Structure formats: C-alpha cells, structure tokens
Amino acid sequence: MLLRGLNVPDYSGIQKEETLKGLVYQDYFSKFSYEPNIDNIDFVLTNKKARGDLFNESMGSSVHIAYGEAKKGIRDLFDMFTQLILTCKKTYEKGEHLAPPWLLVFDEARIAFVAFHDMLPIFTITDFNWNQTPSNHETADFQKAREKVKNIIGAKIAVYNFGADDNEIKEFIKTHFVAGASASIKSPITKDNFVQIFIKWVKEVKPYINIGKDEWVDFKHKGILDCDFYRADMMSSGGNTITEKLKIVLKNDNYKFQENISGRLFTSDIGFTDNGEAYNRFWNRYERPPAPVFQQYIIDRRDLLVPQNIREVKGSFFTPKIWADKSKEYLAAVFGADWQDEYYIWDCAAGTGNLLAGLANEYNVWASDIEQGNLETIQSLIDIDENLNLLPGHVFQFDFLNDSFDKLPEELRKIINDPEKRRKLIVYINPPYAEATSYGVHGKPQVANETNTFKRFSPAVGAEAMNELYAQFFVRIYHNIPDCKLATFSTLKFVTSHKFLRFRKFFLAKNKAAFICKANTFDNVEGNFPVAFSIWDFEQKERILKLKCDILLNNPELTKADKKGKKTFYATNGFKPIGVWRKSFYDIKGKSLGSMIVVGPSMQSNNNTFITSNPAAGYVKKHMTANITEKNLIEISIYLAVRLCIEQTWINNREQYFSPNDGYKNDIEFQNDCLIFTLLHGQNRISVQHGTNHWIPFTEKEVGAKEKFESNFMSKYLEDKTFSPEARSVLSAGRELWKYYHAKIKNNKTASVNASFYDIREFFQGRKESGTMNTKSDDETYNALIKTLRDAHKALAEKIAPKVYEYGFLRE
C-alpha cells in the first residue's frame, strides 16, 4: 500500500496481520515465493518464483530463503525475534529444509533482519522452556528467552523504517537475498551515500548523545557541529577513530575532543543516554570505516554535512580536489613558480574554501562568500586542515553581485584601488552556475535576475547572458577590477552560445590557458558536458573568437587526471545558427510525409531531433515542428544526418551547429548519403499506426510482401538516384530486414504490411512495461540482421562526418 502521490509504503492502521504480510511481500519480496504458516512460521520466503541470479533449486526441492514474524501495530522487535526463534527451532531440527540465510521480523512501521547463523548459539541454551507457547510474551520463560535473544543478536540486527529507509531496504534485499551472498548485514559506506547515512544518523543516534541542547548551541558557535561526531563514528574501527585529522574522535565507543573547548572540558568520555543501544543498532547496518579509496574524499567533504542545503538554491558546486589541484598547476605554468608570493588571490565565491586548499601564502589570499554558514565552515576547517592556509581576518561575508566594494577588508580594497597592485590580483573562483530560468519554481527564489549586477549590466551585455550567474561574476570583475587576472571554472556558454554575442563584445580579454573536465564530477551536476577552467588577462583586450582547451580525463575515484589531446571551442560571432538555414526550406503547403522535431542549435539537443508521423501536442504548440514534403525531403535528411552522424560525447556536447556554406548543394552523393542515413536511422520514428507510411524504400517484390503497399512514394523517389557503396550497403541490409519481417507476418493478420522501420523494430523488440522499446529481441535472426544494418549505418555515418565540417555545419 503506497502513500497517495508518493512511491513509499504506508502500512499504518492495517487491521489484519495477513493483510500486512501480503502487502510487505508485494512491496519488497515479489521476486520470491511467499508461503504463510509453514510449521507455524508466519512468513516463509522460498526460491520457487526466483530466477537466475536469485536462489537456485537444491536437491530437487525448494530452498527456504527467510523465516519471518509479522505483527500489526507497533511491536517490540526482540519480542518478535524471540517468538520467531522459539517457533522455527522445531523446523530447523527436523532437517527437512536447509536453514535459511535470514530471519526477519516486521510490524507496520519497521522491518529488521539478522543472519540465521548469528542466532545459532541460542539453540544451545537450556535454562528456559523451549516448548512454551511462542505467542505468549508475558510468561517468565518467554522473558528469559527474550533476554538471551537480545544479548546474542541485539547488536547484530539491521533495523529499517518503512518509507524513510525504503531504498535501503530494497538495496539490502537486492544485495543479500541472492545466491552466494555474504550473510553480513552491513552495507558499505561510499562517497555516494555517506551524506544520506548522516541524515539518518541525526535522527537515530544524535538524540542519545549525552550532550544538552544548550551545549550543542555553544559548540556550533565554536565551529563544532553534529557532523563532527558522525565523522568520528564513521571513520572508526573497533570503537576507535582511525584518523587524528578530526576535531572529535571515538575512543572505546565514546567521544573525545582533540582539543580543549572553553565552557566544558571533556577530560572524561562522552557517552550515550541509552548506554549506546541506538548507536550500536544504527552502526550495525554499515561497514566502518569506508573503503580506503573513499576515505580521503569523505574526510575532505565535511562541507556536505553542514546543516544547510543552500548550495543548490544558489547554484554553487563543490570543486573536486583533482581539478582544484590541476587548476593550481595551470596557474603556476602561466604566472610562474613563485606566483603565490608575487600575486594576490581572492576567491569571491569561496563556498567552503576547497578551491583555496593547498595555497601556501596565507598573507596573499582572501576568501569571501554570500553565506555565513559557508564561512563558519571555512573557519572551523582552518583549525583542522593543514592544507587550508587562511588568516581569520581574510575570511569575510560578502555578496559579490550586490554589495558595494566599500564593504571589503581594507587591505583588499587598497589592492583593488591601486592600479599596479590590481594587475597582480588573481580572482580565482568556481562561481555558481544557476540560471534565473532554473529557479523561481517549486518555492525556490529567482536568483540571477534579481541582483544589482543583473540590473546594472543587462542593457549593455544582454539579459539572456546575464541570466547566468557566473556571467554576472565575470562582468562585475571585468568592470570593477580592471586589469586584474581571472582564473575560473565555468561552462562554455560564454564562448559558444548565440545568447552571449553581446557579452563577447563587452568582455575583452586574452586567454592564457584552459582545460576541460567532465561536468558530472562536480556536486549537483548530472549533465554529460564539459566544464572549463580558463585563465584570462584583462590587461590585454581581445575578442573571444575561440578557446583552445586541454582535455583532462579522470579515473572513477577522482584521484588522477590524464591529458588526452586538445579541443577548440569556437565563438558564434558572425556565423548564422543552423536554424536560419532550416527556415529556408520550410514548406507548409506541400503534401505532408511526416514532421521533423526542431530543437536548439547545440549538440546537446540531438537526442530530441527526430522524424515522426504524430508530433506531440507540446511540440506543435511551441512551434517545434517542420513539415516534411517531397520538396524539402533532401534538406530535411541533411539536417537530420549532420546532427546525428557524429557521436555525442561530454567533450562535444555543447558544440553549436551553423548554417552551411553552399558546397553541399552540388554534392549529390552527400545528399543521397544523408537521405539513406535518415531513412534507416533509429530517430526516424515514422509509424503506420498514425497514418499512411510513405517511407518504405523497397518495392513489394523486393521484400516479398503479401499485399500491395499503401504508398510507394519512397521507392519511386529512389529509382533515379545513384548511391555510394556505403549507402548501398545500408539499403541492402535494410532490404534483408524487411524481407525477414514480411516472411514472419505471412499468416499474421494483425501485423501491418505497410510497416515502417520503426514498426518493424517494435514488432521484433517489443516494449517494456514503461512503454519504452526493448533494446534486443528474442529472435536471434532479427538480432543478427539489425546488427548488420547498424554496422553498415555506422560506416555511412563515418563517411558523412567529414562533410559536416567541410560544409560548415560544425567547426573543427
């Protein structure tokens, strides 16, 4: 049973125990078979329904996977485990089934697991009556049994809350309820889940730490936060923290401060109000410490545990250490080995200071941020991170896009006001990437278009460019700190986007060096596009025509970067976007063969570039369709082919397409290659289900059709054309696919003789429950035919690709 509007279970108020068992089974264990009341055991999971990677049959009989006890309402976990153990001992001793790997109990709020082998020592205990009624929890014998159960498995059970821990429950079952899985109930801590685990820790462990509310407030003022206790827990083994780099450490499962804190001296251990029961139960779910590959990252990322999530709202993104370190190498290459002594450095969007870690000359470095919480984190990190060298007076709150420079520290203000010193100032930033259009919905404030910088400079630079927060940083630095240097992380829109034409007339500077890295290595970024680090000298006034970048690749652990060639990004100055050319062949009067969906001019929009018989209403309403007719079929095919023949990668994701030169007009082979490319590409979604299919490139006789096609337009259109060997190979492979389809449907009254390429793929591949087409078919002959076609199509794409650059659709 799911909460209305939410995909989380809600079992509250269930009146019957059988109903509860059925719902829990359906929500979590439906891959297995469920058998209630085997030998009076409430809930038995077996492998009868399981397949493949789950539990296989053994010795001709079903395998028991788990024994469970269920209770409606809210019940004591150890009462339920005791009842289950008393009940299942008889089944275990009969030996008709192998013992299951798991025992589990649940009520309407929680579910708990324990490995069967962990409770085996209980079976040897004889000082209570094993023949008592297991469901009677009030007897003295039951209470004796409960005490033994709690003592033996109390620290070994994993407890999850329905709803709040739903993903963890499913992950636990997915990981542990498989053949050959370890019987350990602990899940690993990784760089991807340690923040989510902290959120649960705050709810489940923090309330039992023996520290009063007033003391928590006092600690916060001194830079001590609840996350410091969590980190002591997490980075521990055997009850002791394994690193001395933390303010608080764990000693024998109790907390100690690494230094004296005024107001209370912790000369003795800090314990728990519940003798550590909640602590033990919580950490029994997770393997501590994290694997070595994650430890340094987690130690460095205290900022993620600071109790404020305004980084997303403000659009700021943590710079991974690998790129922060690499950026300093580029700064040294540009400004010399002694750059930290010869130049002043100001990070005016410092966040929690990670970009400044590793700088040595604290007298030349300033850090400011709009958020006081970030500055408090920096101050606390200064004391414990030997790589973060900052003077307390050089860390200050400042709203760069709104505040007057009169608010700056006096020494920094003097540098900015002195022309000679200003030339030695490097503004070193990873500014926020938020857009005004990205915010102002779902309760979030509109960020970009409300700043003083936006209001002041939009008339000169353009509102479209100034919608980007990082562009506002660029503009104010350029205008208010003339002749300084800018070293910045950013997207590449300011170089490549048509929306930045006016910006590029305003922002005149010489690029000194640049590299690109993958955007999704940064926090809160999921896109597959490049982020650039670039260094600019404002003393030298040059228009941005291109940006040549080193390509840096990272390993999965973000510990190593390798240079893999260079990539040049071109500005759109003086070049018409591809949409201008596209409009030149619009035909709203001709007989429609279908519609092409038209999207933005960059590579990132290619996944939404396709041909269809039935454009969705949203595309029509937003004027994102182009009518395909006999008159513009070649141009439509060229448009689709040039956008789809080159594989989209994170490196080229933001490249812009341009209106071509006239060279393509006389290249008949290129035109025909593009036509065949389009006819048999997966983004050709023409379907007979939405009207007459005019896109069959073969005659009925060629493919052995049992009936005449409703339209022979395309085969006639191709009759007088000559094709390159690559295009002929694609047609030949397509013909074999059509022939196989028509051979398969000779006795099938529902399959259409007029099927398109899209329809044929759907016929063999089918669809998932979600509605998306499967990637493979159960028909191996079809799989072989479609592979041959795709290989030929790939070769055709490789032939077309050089012409994309030759005719100016893309710039190398």
Side-chain angles (χ1 to χ4, degrees), residues 297 299-304 311 316-328 347 349-359 365 367-369 374 377-379 381-382 385 387-390 428-431 489 521-523:
Y297 175 88
I299 289 173
D300 291 342
R301 295 311 313 272
R302 179 183 184 269
D303 65 296
L304 289 181
R311 289 194 315 276
S316 56
F317 303 96
F318 178 89
T319 314
K321 185 175 184 297
I322 183 177
W323 308 132
D325 291 347
K326 187 60 67 172
S327 69
K328 293 176 183 64
D347 185 348
T352 54
N354 66 295
L355 193 58
L356 302 177
L359 296 180
V365 182
S368 65
D369 195 81
N374 285 342
T377 300
I378 291 177
Q379 293 287 7
L381 288 172
I382 291 172
D385 189 343
N387 290 315
L388 188 58
N389 297 301
L390 289 168
Y428 181 32
I429 54 173
N430 179 15
F489 287 89
T521 59
F522 290 69
D523 275 2

Side-chain angles (χ1 to χ4, degrees), residues 515-572:
F515 69 76
I516 57 170
C517 54
K518 290 186 72 172
N520 59 16
T521 59
F522 290 69
D523 275 2
N524 303 321
V525 182
E526 297 181 357
N528 194 32
F529 59 90
V531 163
F533 175 74
S534 53
I535 302 172
W536 302 87
D537 187 343
F538 291 170
E539 284 190 84
Q540 302 179 58
K541 306 299 184 184
E542 294 183 5
R543 289 194 67 181
I544 300 175
L545 300 177
K546 60 184 178 181
L547 182 64
K548 191 172 185 179
C549 302
D550 295 327
I551 301 170
L552 300 188
L553 303 182
N554 60 281
N555 64 13
E557 292 79 26
L558 287 178
T559 58
K560 183 182 178 184
D562 294 316
K563 186 185 294 186
K564 296 293 182 180
K566 294 182 180 290
K567 172 68 177 176
T568 300
F569 297 88
Y570 291 91
T572 55

Side-chain angles (χ1 to χ4, degrees), residues 161 163-165 196-208 226 278 282:
N161 295 309
D165 299 331
Q196 288 72 30
I197 295 172
F198 170 63
I199 294 170
K200 298 176 186 298
W201 179 93
V202 170
K203 296 178 181 178
E204 299 180 34
V205 178
K206 179 184 174 182
Y208 299 97
D226 48 8
F282 181 86

Side-chain angles (χ1 to χ4, degrees), residues 41 120 273 323 392 452 513 651 720:
I41 300 172
L120 280 175
T273 59
W323 308 132
N452 291 337
I651 297 172
D720 61 346

Side-chain angles (χ1 to χ4, degrees), residues 195-243:
V195 175
Q196 288 72 30
I197 295 172
F198 170 63
I199 294 170
K200 298 176 186 298
W201 179 93
V202 170
K203 296 178 181 178
E204 299 180 34
V205 178
K206 179 184 174 182
Y208 299 97
I209 298 176
N210 190 19
I211 296 174
K213 291 183 179 180
D214 292 340
E215 287 176 317
W216 280 116
V217 174
D218 189 40
F219 293 161
K220 182 178 179 181
H221 290 157
K222 296 176 173 63
I224 305 293
L225 302 174
D226 48 8
C227 64
D228 294 308
F229 290 83
Y230 166 70
R231 298 203 306 161
D233 284 0
M234 178 174 51
M235 302 302 298
S236 70
S237 176
N240 296 288
T241 300
I242 62 172
T243 177

Side-chain angles (χ1 to χ4, degrees), residues 762-794:
E762 183 179 29
F763 176 82
F764 285 106
Q765 294 172 209
R767 293 188 179 274
K768 302 174 184 177
E769 290 184 7
S770 63
T772 57
M773 192 181 296
N774 293 316
T775 56
K776 289 189 66 177
S777 170
D778 293 332
D779 188 318
E780 291 305 323
T781 300
Y782 166 81
N783 288 336
L785 290 170
I786 196 72
K787 182 181 184 303
T788 300
L789 173 57
R790 286 170 177 162
D791 289 344
H793 199 276
K794 182 178 179 181

Side-chain angles (χ1 to χ4, degrees), residues 96-109:
E96 294 178 358
H97 299 278
L98 295 175
W102 297 100
L103 298 180
L104 61 91
V105 302
F106 57 88
D107 55 21
E108 68 181 39

Side-chain angles (χ1 to χ4, degrees), residues 426-706:
I426 300 172
V427 180
Y428 181 32
I429 54 173
N430 179 15
Y433 306 159
E435 300 178 53
T437 52
S438 299
Y439 296 86
V441 294
H442 304 309
K444 292 183 178 180
Q446 286 192 335
V447 177
N449 59 15
E450 293 183 352
T451 68
N452 291 337
T453 301
F454 179 92
K455 295 170 184 176
R456 180 180 179 186
F457 292 100
S458 287
V461 180
E464 287 185 314
M466 293 295 281
N467 270 339
E468 300 275 353
L469 276 177
Y470 80 81
Q472 293 188 34
F473 275 83
F474 286 15
V475 166
R476 191 176 190 200
I477 295 166
Y478 181 82
H479 183 269
N480 287 91
I481 318 177
D483 298 335
C484 77
K485 322 303 178 192
L486 173 64
T488 181
F489 287 89
S490 70
T491 68
L492 286 152
K493 289 182 183 179
F494 77 102
V495 176
T496 63
S497 175
H498 298 286
K499 296 179 180 180
F500 279 75
L501 285 171
R502 292 169 66 188
F503 172 93
R504 289 191 289 272
K505 291 180 180 179
F506 176 91
F507 186 91
L508 304 176
K510 182 176 180 60
N511 177 251
K512 308 295 287 186
F515 69 76
I516 57 170
C517 54
K518 290 186 72 172
N520 59 16
T521 59
F522 290 69
D523 275 2
N524 303 321
V525 182
E526 297 181 357
N528 194 32
F529 59 90
V531 163
F533 175 74
S534 53
I535 302 172
W536 302 87
D537 187 343
F538 291 170
E539 284 190 84
Q540 302 179 58
K541 306 299 184 184
E542 294 183 5
R543 289 194 67 181
I544 300 175
L545 300 177
K546 60 184 178 181
L547 182 64
K548 191 172 185 179
C549 302
D550 295 327
I551 301 170
L552 300 188
L553 303 182
N554 60 281
N555 64 13
E557 292 79 26
L558 287 178
T559 58
K560 183 182 178 184
D562 294 316
K563 186 185 294 186
K564 296 293 182 180
K566 294 182 180 290
K567 172 68 177 176
T568 300
F569 297 88
Y570 291 91
T572 55
N573 308 359
F575 294 90
K576 296 178 181 178
I578 196 170
V580 175
W581 173 68
R582 187 180 64 217
K583 290 178 181 178
S584 71
F585 55 79
Y586 279 180
D587 181 9
I588 60 175
K589 296 181 180 179
K591 180 181 178 181
S592 179
L593 303 174
S595 295
M596 181 178 68
I597 304 303
V598 297
V599 291
S602 67
M603 186 84 74
Q604 65 175 317
S605 300
N606 284 355
N607 288 340
N608 293 319
T609 302
F610 61 93
I611 291 172
T612 179
S613 314
N614 184 38
Y619 289 124
V620 176
K621 184 177 180 179
K622 295 178 181 179
H623 306 290
M624 296 175 66
T625 63
N627 189 36
I628 307 173
T629 69
E630 183 175 1
K631 182 180 178 181
N632 66 12
L633 178 58
I634 289 295
E635 286 80 6
I636 290 285
S637 298
I638 292 173
Y639 180 86
L640 192 83
V642 300
R643 295 202 65 154
L644 299 178
C645 69
I646 297 172
E647 182 184 3
Q648 180 180 322
T649 68
W650 72 269
I651 297 172
N652 65 21
N653 183 276
R654 292 299 192 263
E655 284 196 43
Q656 303 283 314
Y657 290 95
F658 300 97
S659 293
N661 58 49
D662 290 339
Y664 80 92
K665 293 181 179 179
N666 298 318
D667 191 339
I668 303 302
E669 183 173 277
F670 169 72
Q671 295 176 20
N672 291 341
D673 281 347
C674 291
L675 175 61
I676 301 306
F677 179 96
T678 297
L679 284 175
L680 292 163
H681 192 281
Q683 293 291 74
N684 183 338
R685 302 178 189 174
I686 294 292
S687 173
V688 73
Q689 297 178 42
H690 302 296
T692 302
N693 171 23
H694 300 287
W695 295 73
I696 303 174
F698 313 109
T699 65
E700 293 89 345
K701 287 185 178 180
E702 282 184 280
V703 297
K706 62 182 178 180

